[in-house]
Amino acid sequence: MGATETRRRFTRLAVLLAAAACLAATPDTRTLTDDLGRRVTAPPHPARILSYAPNLTETVFAIGAADRLVGRTRFCDWPPEVSKVPSFGGLLDPDFEKIAVLRPDLILATTAGDPRDKVDALSRLGYPVFVTSPEDVGDVIADIEAIGAAVGAERDATRVAAGMRAELADVARRVAGRPRVRTLVVIWQDPLRTIGNGSFLADVLHRAGGEPVPGGGDADYPQVNMEAVLHAAPEVILLGRPGEPGRGEESFWRQFKTLPAVRDGRILSVDLEVASRPGPRIAGAVRE
């Protein structure tokens, strides 16, 4: 092959690459990178957003993009006005036909609860799917900013994130220098499950000045026995709100009078559903 033919082929290749680049990033689209490192091509200001998780739905409302939310799961229950948004089913049983009718131009999903096979199926169908993957409270705030950028609501997302960081900083000042409080968080009463040291809820508790006991090793939500609880001697026992599934009853715990939490009357009810939901209310859950 001569030099002239080589230059000609190189020029054709450059033209083709330039054309492909124009198609991939037209003025009507842009390329985002989600928490999984996936490149997602979506409109700069999506007009039809679909949320695949309750925490993402809350985020869309918090950053002022609710008027563009066209679909949500049946588990998306906050804020109350979300009931007006059409539901396409649950996390495990989404109705793909309903999703097609809703015509989303951006789908928000998360590894914190969403089945990966369903998310991958939506991507294969050609929908732009932006996935978040929060592991702690800091990731939640970063994801709110990332979602703001993805949906074209950067200013409101920055405002929400700043407010959350300020609230967390205030809590940190309040607990600074204090001994950590040994805390049993009752995720489920029978069988008894609590939180492990590496779980999302453990980070929430740490930020509030607590230390989860028993630690449970590497498991996020280990099953524990009463012998381990008695040995750990929790200073506080946290139960869910009345009516929460598996909450447990104060009357059950009052029989263990040797536990410091029982002796000192520190069996408390908190909204564990909010505390375990990686969304914009998480800073308030840390304060509670």
Side-chain angles (χ1 to χ4, degrees), residues 179-194:
R180 290 200 174 274
V181 180
R182 299 191 309 277
T183 306
L184 172 69
V185 181
V186 179
I187 295 296
W188 199 267
Q189 180 67 57
D190 187 18
L192 180 58
R193 287 192 179 275
T194 183

Side-chain angles (χ1 to χ4, degrees), residues 42-50 65-71 102-106 150-152:
H45 192 79
R48 303 185 65 80
I49 303 167
L50 186 141
D67 59 328
R68 294 181 277 141
L69 186 67
V70 298
L102 295 172
R103 297 181 293 109
D105 53 7
L106 180 67
V151 306

Side-chain angles (χ1 to χ4, degrees), residues 186 189 239 242-244 246-254 267:
V186 179
Q189 180 67 57
L239 306 177
E244 286 188 5
R247 170 183 179 268
E249 297 296 331
E250 289 187 33
S251 57
F252 170 81
W253 291 101
R254 290 197 193 103
I267 304 175

Side-chain angles (χ1 to χ4, degrees), residues 31-106:
T31 301
L32 310 165
T33 302
D34 66 12
D35 281 357
L36 301 182
R38 300 162 59 254
R39 294 171 65 81
V40 182
T41 301
H45 192 79
R48 303 185 65 80
I49 303 167
L50 186 141
S51 170
Y52 208 127
N55 63 307
L56 302 175
T57 298
E58 289 192 31
T59 298
V60 171
F61 272 85
I63 63 177
D67 59 328
R68 294 181 277 141
L69 186 67
V70 298
R72 47 112 187 166
T73 74
R74 62 172 170 268
F75 302 107
C76 298
D77 56 2
W78 189 266
E81 52 266 36
V82 75
S83 61
K84 300 176 183 178
V85 179
S87 167
F88 59 83
L91 304 179
L92 298 175
D93 58 345
D95 188 328
F96 288 98
E97 290 185 5
K98 281 189 177 180
I99 292 174
V101 171
L102 295 172
R103 297 181 293 109
D105 53 7
L106 180 67

Side-chain angles (χ1 to χ4, degrees), residues 192-218:
L192 180 58
R193 287 192 179 275
T194 183
I195 62 176
N197 291 318
S199 66
F200 179 81
L201 264 175
D203 184 50
V204 173
L205 186 63
H206 281 138
R207 289 171 180 268
E211 183 70 27
V213 295
D218 295 331

